[in-house]
Amino acid sequence: MGWNVSAEVIAFIIVLIISVYSRQSHAVPSLKNRVFRLCLGTTLGAIGTNLASTLLIAYAPLELLPLTYLVTLCYFVLTPLLGTVYFYYAVAVVSEARPVGRTFALASGVPCAAYFLLVLANVPTGWLFSFDAAGAYVQGPFIIATYLVFYFYCMACFALVMFTRAPIDPVIKRILAVFPLIAVAVIAVQQLFPTYLLSGSAAACSLLIIYLYLQNKRLSVDQLTGASNRQEFLSMVSLMNEKEQPFTAVLVSLSNFKFINDKFGHESGDRFLREFASYLGAIGDARLYRYSGDQFAFIVSRDGGWGAHGGQDGDDATASLLAPLRQRLGEPWRIGGHSYTVGAAIGAVSYPVIARTPGDVVAALEYATEESKKLEPNTPCVCTPGMMKAIHRRSAIADVVRRAAEQDGFTMNLQPVWSESAQRFVAAEALCRLTDDELGPIPPDEFIPIAEQIGVISDVTRFMLDRACAFVRSYRSIHPSSTFRGVSVNFSAVQFIQDDLAESVLAVVERHGIPASCLRVEVTESAIIANPDAVRAFMERMHAQGVRFYLDDFGTGYSNLSTLLELPFDVVKLDKSILRSATENEHLVEFFGLLASGFGALGTQALSEGVETPEQRAFLNLCGCDLMQGYLFSRPLPPDEAAAVIAASEECAEG
């Protein structure tokens, strides 16, 4: 019998190429990656023995018949095994989303084990194949079992993927369902045309699909630096957690990389990143990962005594690991004729001494890196139990904030604003409050930044805006002759990326039927810096409708007078730190007075926050600051109580 082996030779070459290019793919020794390498080895073995058996049967002399028999027997073992290993690859993928039971995994191997016994029985029986006295190849009566086992595992793979309840990405699910169908189709063609060897082609097609879409190193390796990517980092952390293997993870966030790109061009920036990654990859036995654009992470195993007992030993080991990095960051980098000095924020955490779960590792790394930015340049911040406690609190608050955003779980308090000239409360600031059954009252300076980070700050502002307008409508309906001017609502910098912000705000005002002039919007200068064009456009549009604007937190580090000159602010809120400094330092008394009168010259009123004592009130009177807000006049109150306090002040002023 003559066979056509051209397709099999091509398949063998394809698998060899995949083997070479997949060496660096998915370095994480996860079950899926180990089974993929088993698929590669089994495929190479099956195609190789198929080609060798065919050539020996066709051309080997009778003296090599024992070798021919042995090679052919190996082929009969490996070829149906292809379907088995590809099935278990699908099992490994599914198990990443939801664990697959050990009983199921073992039971699935029964057909393969039974077939293996059939192969062993072939030696005395010739049930699968044999050679006659002349050395000619003869198919046995149970040769069909070879195909049936292959078909069984292909269809089992298809059924497993299609009917599993594991939360698998639909794209991955389709890929895993397609490749066994292709393999079945190719083997069916071989049955119809026995002289064409296609079993290797079926395996190669399946392997190529898996590699291109699931195992390609482009999915796991950063192409610029050659380091593994963030997903690989997360996979490695999860794997080491499963194995309970101690390690230290470090995150290095470059501080001024954008300057290099802007000053010297992206090509120089890319060259620097490659050089920097090369340096980090040479630190100890670290596994390097590109965490994000200008952030790199590495993991150092702590087996073998390197800080293996945690505690101070682990801290000392982490410090010794990071000392050379800190020193190197203090030295210039020379790339392409340019010399750079690049700083970095460095966060580190030990597992399981400090972080006990993969989620804790990631949260601790990012938290410690943020804390490092508050320290001296290039000073590492190693996560401590206290930091971990703060991280867990942030996580708990984030859950509370999400629920509150979904269920209107926030409340509004109002702190009235006093006018010294009118001797009454003339406005109020809406302050968001959040209370949890377990955590108790959560301060705004904790939950507001978290609301911004998790993307629900717009919901918080929308809630506050609605409640503030409702309060104004209610108060004006009860006190139609009131001179109460309105309520101010704080807007986050994140708000101004919303295209229809002005329209949505005005829609709330109109729905409640109040004049737009009763709404005040508080904007911080940091929000203006973050998105100046959007803020300016919003202010101009809303100011034309009568909405008034407050510049919040003046004097906290961003303030400059050009902002006041360019934008239509009606009121500037002087941070309480300015009042405290002015009243404690006699040299600043005159300055405070000039500051208040200077704002008046610009057509802007000054409002001093944090007024707590009669002495501070007298001082503000002396300086000509009319608007005041603080505990001396009123604490933040629920709407009903605030309304009563405001009304009482109006009655006293009229009386």
Side-chain angles (χ1 to χ4, degrees):
M1 180 183 292
W3 288 281
N4 188 321
V5 299
S6 57
E8 206 76 346
V9 172
I10 294 173
F12 189 74
I13 294 172
I14 290 174
V15 176
L16 278 176
I17 293 173
I18 294 174
S19 300
V20 172
Y21 277 90
S22 65
R23 285 183 180 178
Q24 296 180 347
S25 298
H26 298 268
V28 177
S30 63
L31 176 63
K32 183 187 77 170
N33 294 338
R34 294 200 303 271
V35 176
F36 176 74
R37 287 191 282 272
L38 180 61
C39 289
L40 275 173
T42 304
T43 303
L44 284 172
I47 300 176
T49 55
N50 192 9
L51 289 171
S53 172
T54 302
L55 293 174
L56 286 169
I57 291 172
Y59 301 110
L62 195 60
E63 292 78 14
L64 293 180
L65 185 59
L67 177 62
T68 304
Y69 187 92
L70 180 61
V71 172
T72 305
L73 193 68
C74 290
Y75 161 72
F76 271 88
V77 171
L78 291 173
T79 299
L81 189 60
L82 287 175
T84 309
V85 294
Y86 286 116
F87 167 77
Y88 279 107
Y89 178 83
V91 170
V93 174
V94 171
S95 68
E96 289 188 335
R98 178 174 293 172
V100 175
R102 183 183 295 273
T103 302
F104 172 81
L106 292 174
S108 300
V110 171
C112 180
Y115 176 79
F116 182 72
L117 294 176
L118 178 62
V119 173
L120 293 179
N122 183 75
V123 177
T125 63
W127 285 343
L128 294 175
F129 72 93
S130 61
F131 291 91
D132 60 20
Y137 172 78
V138 179
Q139 289 187 345
F142 295 133
I143 187 70
I144 189 64
T146 304
Y147 294 101
L148 291 178
V149 171
F150 187 86
Y151 288 149
F152 170 80
Y153 280 106
C154 286
M155 298 316 296
C157 177
F158 178 82
L160 171 70
V161 173
M162 294 305 296
F163 299 111
T164 183
R165 294 182 178 179
I168 303 175
D169 187 308
V171 175
I172 295 177
K173 197 170 186 178
R174 286 195 296 271
I175 292 168
L176 292 175
V178 165
F179 80 76
L181 298 181
I182 293 176
V184 166
V186 174
I187 295 301
V189 171
Q190 177 171 311
Q191 280 191 278
L192 294 175
F193 303 96
T195 58
Y196 288 87
L197 301 185
L198 298 174
S199 59
S201 300
C205 289
S206 300
L207 201 61
L208 187 61
I209 292 172
I210 293 173
Y211 173 70
L212 289 177
Y213 290 97
L214 301 180
Q215 295 288 151
N216 190 340
K217 71 176 183 178
R218 289 181 179 272
L219 303 176
S220 60
V221 176
D222 173 58
Q223 297 303 300
L224 175 64
T225 63
S228 298
N229 61 20
R230 176 189 171 93
Q231 187 56 48
E232 284 291 277
F233 171 80
L234 299 176
S235 298
M236 179 59 78
V237 169
S238 296
L239 182 65
M240 297 181 82
N241 173 65
E242 291 173 7
K243 294 183 176 181
E244 299 183 349
Q245 181 179 351
F247 64 88
T248 293
V250 178
L251 181 62
V252 182
S253 178
L254 297 172
S255 302
N256 52 345
F257 175 69
K258 186 177 183 297
F259 172 78
I260 296 177
N261 272 340
D262 294 343
K263 183 72 174 178
F264 302 106
H266 288 275
E267 183 177 350
S268 292
D270 290 347
R271 293 175 66 182
F272 166 74
L273 287 177
R274 285 192 290 268
E275 182 75 17
F276 189 67
S278 177
Y279 169 78
L280 292 178
I283 294 179
D285 297 324
R287 298 185 181 95
L288 179 66
Y289 305 86
R290 190 176 184 188
Y291 195 80
S292 68
D294 59 358
Q295 292 184 322
F296 292 88
F298 55 87
I299 296 174
V300 180
S301 174
R302 295 174 61 187
D303 284 343
W306 188 86
H309 302 292
Q312 187 59 41
D313 291 341
D315 292 343
D316 290 344
T318 302
S320 64
L321 173 73
L322 298 178
L325 171 59
R326 186 179 182 185
Q327 180 180 350
R328 181 66 185 89
L329 287 169
E331 302 170 359
W333 301 77
R334 191 159 187 82
I335 306 292
H338 300 292
S339 183
Y340 313 108
T341 299
V342 179
I346 306 169
V349 64
S350 296
Y351 167 91
V353 178
I354 302 298
R356 299 184 181 275
T357 68
D360 281 352
V361 171
V362 173
L365 273 183
E366 295 180 352
Y367 184 88
T369 303
E370 286 301 312
E371 291 298 303
S372 174
K373 294 177 181 178
K374 303 173 185 178
L375 307 176
E376 293 293 324
N378 307 327
T379 301
C381 177
V382 181
C383 190
T384 64
M387 291 181 187
M388 205 69 242
K389 185 177 180 180
I391 291 168
H392 288 154
R393 176 173 171 81
R394 281 177 53 176
S395 178
I397 291 175
D399 292 337
V400 173
V401 169
R402 288 190 186 94
R403 289 196 301 270
E406 293 172 357
Q407 305 168 7
D408 283 347
F410 299 100
T411 57
M412 181 186 72
N413 278 4
L414 292 155
Q415 186 172 32
V417 175
W418 179 264
S419 170
E420 195 72 347
S421 60
Q423 288 294 297
R424 69 182 71 185
F425 291 119
V426 294
E429 178 183 3
L431 300 169
C432 190
R433 294 293 182 260
L434 179 62
T435 301
D436 180 65
D437 293 339
E438 294 183 6
L439 299 178
I442 304 172
D445 59 359
E446 274 195 281
F447 75 79
I448 292 297
I450 291 174
E452 292 177 335
Q453 292 168 7
I454 65 177
V456 300
I457 191 64
S458 295
D459 298 321
V460 177
T461 305
R462 191 180 305 113
F463 170 86
M464 294 297 293
L465 182 64
D466 182 75
R467 292 295 188 274
C469 291
F471 175 83
V472 172
R473 180 189 61 190
S474 173
Y475 189 84
R476 286 171 62 89
S477 65
I478 297 173
H479 308 280
S481 59
S482 171
T483 58
F484 180 73
R485 300 172 188 170
V487 175
S488 63
V489 178
N490 293 275
F491 273 47
S492 165
V494 181
Q495 300 288 133
F496 297 102
I497 64 174
Q498 182 180 336
D499 290 337
D500 61 343
L501 180 60
E503 289 76 8
S504 62
V505 171
L506 290 173
V508 175
V509 173
E510 292 173 5
R511 187 173 72 249
H512 286 282
I514 64 173
S517 59
C518 290
L519 174 64
R520 281 101 164 89
V521 174
E522 297 199 15
V523 183
T524 62
E525 195 162 354
S526 58
I528 300 170
I529 293 172
N531 205 340
D533 294 336
V535 173
R536 181 178 288 104
F538 174 74
M539 289 185 67
E540 291 174 350
R541 167 76 187 280
M542 299 296 286
H543 211 266
Q545 299 296 318
V547 176
R548 296 169 65 82
F549 282 87
Y550 290 10
L551 178 63
D552 196 15
D553 294 339
F554 182 88
T556 56
Y558 291 97
S559 308
N560 65 79
L561 291 178
S562 64
T563 302
L564 299 176
L565 296 173
E566 294 176 2
L567 297 174
F569 283 107
D570 301 283
V571 175
V572 174
K573 300 184 72 174
L574 305 179
D575 187 74
K576 59 185 178 182
S577 61
I578 298 179
L579 175 61
R580 187 181 304 115
S581 298
T583 53
E584 293 175 355
N585 189 336
E586 60 182 18
H587 299 294
L588 295 178
V589 173
E590 185 177 354
F591 167 77
F592 196 95
L594 292 173
L595 188 64
S597 61
F599 289 138
L602 294 172
T604 303
Q605 286 184 288
L607 189 164
S608 183
E609 296 182 293
V611 183
E612 299 178 354
T613 65
E615 290 77 16
Q616 289 177 330
R617 179 181 182 180
F619 170 79
L620 292 173
N621 266 317
L622 181 65
C623 294
C625 182
D626 181 55
L627 299 178
M628 307 177 193
Q629 183 179 357
Y631 283 7
L632 177 65
F633 302 102
S634 174
R635 291 176 175 270
L637 301 170
D640 291 345
E641 294 181 31
V645 168
I646 295 169
S649 76
E650 292 190 312
E651 291 174 3
C652 289
E654 291 173 359

